[in-house]
Amino acid sequence: MKKLVSMIMAVIVSLSMLFGLDLGEVRAELEGPDVFAEGYCVMDTDTGEIIIHKNMDEQFYPASITKVLTAFVTLENCDNLDDTITFSDWAINSCTANSSTMPPKGMVGEQMTVRDVLYGMLLSSGNECANALAEYIGGDINTFAEMMNEKAKELGATNSHFVNAHGLHDPNHYTTPHDMALIYQAALENPTFREIDSTATYTIPATNMTGARALSMGHKMVNGQLPFEGVFAGKTGNTAEAGRTLLTAAERNGHTLISVVMKSNNDKFYLDTEILLEYGFNILEGDLPPVQWEEKDETVWATGNVKIREFPSTYASEKGFLETGDSVERIATYEGWSKVKIGEDEYYISSQYLTTQDPDGIGTAPEETAAETAMEETTADSMESFPVESTPVETNFTDGQGAQMNASGSDSTGDIQEGQSADVSVRDSENSSSSGDNFLSGISNSMLIIVLLVAAIVLVLAAIIAMIVSNVKRSRRRRNRRNSWKL
């Protein structure tokens, strides 16, 4: 009976995934888009639902996003934010010399209000501020760390352990993307924390030892350096061991999302966050299906001039251009997109401009008009829309025979070796194509769903029949044994 129940449950789960019958449970299992971060989690703060994730329960070093928990514990245990804190020698000098501080760094004996120290910690990521708050609230760092761990467990963050208030590296100081989402969700519910963490600039008045300090929020999506629709709060983190970590909160169309990025790199952690937030909002609004790439290992040729993009979206940065007849290695497909490999890097091209036919059989397709370009940008393949904003920097993609692909939108300059012989250059046009491929793809997907459903039903029926037959045989054997005993 247990086997039958398991099989039925498996069929139910399959049906849910195919038809979205229980989107809440299905979404919690979704792996999101490929980004540079080794772990991430996107949460709907209103419901606590995990929208997308990757390694969300794996332990990482948090670096300075630790300070969100430090601030939250401080606010819950401080009756008056205008109380005075005096910076001790330990608070100032126990951190490494090159760690982040207020500008200028706090001084031994300097006095500031709890409120101003909180601004110094969250906006400037001041480690001396984190230490001062820990001493003020807990008396010493060990006691305060115990308070941090108790609060984390209370919030459901059970895979974390904190030993300091600032996040500088310690092998026993770790958390997970999911745990940090829970902590940040709770912190944002505190009005004072939300106000401080949403502030772009703040001036700390003159103290007993220095003049006024002008602080700027270190999170570039909050301070306006990298504007992104809806972002209102966040916290950065960075150590050699932790890599780049980033907490970000954004609101759109009645939804509030938290993005937690862990173990990313210096060039991509903001890009990771933009992609994850856009992806998360689109899922909530029903615009994205789960991404399940089908692996390929084949050479394809361009049927017309087509853009190479950084991510599978018509909104993603253009990394180059294929001309009619150029070839490229395709390693996967999904919906209307092909993942291709150029040198050691992966890029994306709209599948409708690619073919597996020999180049001699390809006719040159007419280049699209401006009207066709506009149409494709709004309707292309029902895929996700990732707003990728990066500073244009020229990059040359060079093949082994001297041909070049001049690409803009890269974050750095470099050469990528490519085993193709065709010239590849950046242009501003893509070919339009017929909807026949999309129609056939829709038929293929429908047939696959039907086949899977039939197969699942057959398996369940076979299991039921086998169980009935087994029960009948077992009953006959029992009757035969009873009859033999009577004889």
Side-chain angles (χ1 to χ4, degrees):
M1 189 66 183
K2 290 182 179 179
K3 291 182 179 180
L4 176 60
V5 172
S6 297
M7 294 182 69
I8 292 174
M9 288 303 296
V11 172
I12 293 174
V13 171
S14 298
L15 291 173
S16 297
M17 293 182 69
L18 287 170
F19 294 107
L21 299 179
D22 191 345
L23 291 178
E25 292 185 9
V26 173
R27 284 177 186 157
E29 298 301 320
L30 288 185
E31 289 284 342
D34 291 332
V35 295
F36 294 90
E38 293 184 15
Y40 62 75
C41 178
V42 176
M43 172 191 284
D44 183 339
T45 63
D46 298 323
T47 64
E49 178 186 2
I50 303 302
I51 307 300
I52 48 175
H53 63 85
K54 175 183 177 182
N55 297 328
M56 74 172 184
D57 292 318
E58 184 174 329
Q59 291 170 342
F60 296 92
Y61 298 125
S64 285
I65 60 175
T66 298
K67 290 163 183 165
V68 166
L69 181 57
T70 300
F72 189 40
V73 172
T74 297
L75 289 169
E76 288 208 328
N77 290 275
C78 180
D79 296 328
N80 187 358
L81 295 182
D82 293 321
D83 284 351
T84 299
I85 289 180
T86 301
F87 285 86
S88 69
D89 179 75
W90 173 83
I92 298 298
N93 296 318
S94 65
C95 299
T96 56
N98 61 345
S99 66
S100 57
T101 66
M102 291 184 295
K105 181 180 179 179
M107 291 174 276
V108 178
E110 186 171 10
Q111 295 181 331
M112 295 169 55
T113 66
V114 176
R115 185 189 314 276
D116 289 341
V117 177
L118 282 167
Y119 273 100
M121 181 180 70
L122 289 177
L123 271 65
S124 297
S125 204
N127 291 326
E128 80 274 40
C129 296
N131 280 343
L133 292 169
E135 277 193 316
Y136 173 76
I137 297 296
D140 59 74
I141 186 57
N142 292 331
T143 302
F144 188 78
E146 290 176 5
M147 297 172 70
M148 294 172 72
N149 288 315
E150 288 175 4
K151 175 54 64 176
K153 289 180 181 178
E154 178 186 321
L155 299 175
T158 56
N159 291 316
S160 301
H161 187 258
F162 302 93
V163 299
N164 61 55
H166 42 60
L168 288 174
H169 180 67
D170 187 295
N172 294 315
H173 188 93
Y174 52 82
T175 187
T176 70
H178 187 201
D179 282 1
M180 280 309 307
L182 293 171
I183 292 168
Y184 198 35
Q185 178 190 30
L188 287 170
E189 291 175 356
N190 183 292
T192 303
F193 174 88
R194 189 182 180 106
E195 178 183 355
I196 296 174
D197 199 45
S198 302
T199 301
T201 60
Y202 182 78
T203 299
I204 296 178
T207 69
N208 61 321
M209 302 188 75
T210 188
R213 289 176 170 88
L215 308 181
S216 294
M217 165 60 77
H219 195 307
K220 292 183 179 181
M221 297 169 75
V222 180
N223 68 26
Q225 288 182 265
L226 293 174
F228 185 82
E229 182 186 353
V231 168
F232 66 88
K235 182 69 190 79
T236 58
N238 181 31
T239 65
E241 296 82 4
R244 283 288 188 173
T245 61
L246 193 67
L247 295 179
T248 311
E251 293 177 327
R252 280 194 205 169
N253 301 323
H255 297 292
T256 302
L257 293 186
I258 286 172
S259 166
V260 182
V261 167
M262 303 194 75
K263 196 68 173 178
S264 188
N265 62 45
N266 288 333
D267 297 324
K268 303 298 183 181
F269 65 111
Y270 283 113
L271 178 61
D272 287 350
T273 299
E274 291 178 354
I275 293 168
L276 293 175
L277 285 174
E278 191 68 30
Y279 198 95
F281 280 119
N282 284 343
I283 284 182
L284 283 180
E285 294 167 10
D287 293 339
L288 294 181
V291 174
Q292 296 177 341
W293 290 90
E294 181 181 351
E295 292 185 4
K296 299 285 186 180
D297 184 12
E298 58 190 7
T299 300
V300 291
W301 288 265
T303 59
N305 298 329
V306 57
K307 296 173 185 175
I308 299 170
R309 297 192 181 272
E310 188 171 16
F311 293 98
S313 168
T314 55
Y315 294 82
S317 295
E318 299 171 22
K319 308 304 293 185
F321 202 89
L322 288 184
E323 292 184 342
T324 303
D326 287 345
S327 62
V328 69
E329 178 186 359
R330 178 159 63 185
I331 59 177
T333 59
Y334 172 71
E335 290 282 336
W337 289 93
S338 289
K339 184 186 296 186
V340 301
K341 193 167 186 179
I342 300 177
E344 296 300 320
D345 294 313
E346 296 176 358
Y347 300 96
Y348 300 86
I349 299 174
S350 181
S351 296
Q352 59 189 0
Y353 309 118
L354 300 175
T355 180
T356 56
Q357 296 178 8
D358 185 89
D360 293 337
I362 300 176
T364 301
E367 294 191 5
E368 66 188 358
T369 64
E372 290 168 334
T373 302
M375 180 180 296
E376 191 215 331
E377 290 295 324
T378 57
T379 62
D381 302 313
S382 300
M383 277 297 294
E384 59 266 37
S385 301
F386 299 147
V388 181
E389 301 294 340
S390 58
T391 303
V393 179
E394 292 300 319
T395 304
N396 292 327
F397 297 80
T398 308
D399 67 19
Q401 301 182 23
Q404 291 186 337
M405 177 172 72
N406 302 317
S408 65
S410 168
D411 291 311
S412 61
T413 300
D415 293 334
I416 298 180
Q417 297 301 316
E418 175 187 357
Q420 304 294 335
S421 60
D423 290 338
V424 189
S425 59
V426 176
R427 300 175 188 265
D428 290 324
S429 61
E430 274 178 324
N431 272 345
S432 61
S433 72
S434 68
S435 61
D437 291 341
N438 293 334
F439 176 72
L440 292 176
S441 175
I443 295 176
S444 176
N445 290 337
S446 299
M447 289 299 296
L448 177 60
I449 292 173
I450 293 172
V451 170
L452 289 174
L453 283 175
V454 171
I457 293 171
V458 169
L459 284 174
V460 173
L461 290 176
I464 293 173
I465 292 171
M467 188 167 293
I468 293 173
V469 171
S470 176
N471 288 336
V472 170
K473 289 182 178 179
R474 190 179 296 110
S475 297
R476 288 178 178 174
R477 285 197 297 269
R478 289 174 180 171
R479 284 198 301 271
N480 290 336
R481 283 199 295 271
R482 285 198 296 269
N483 290 336
S484 63
W485 294 338
K486 292 178 181 178
L487 293 173

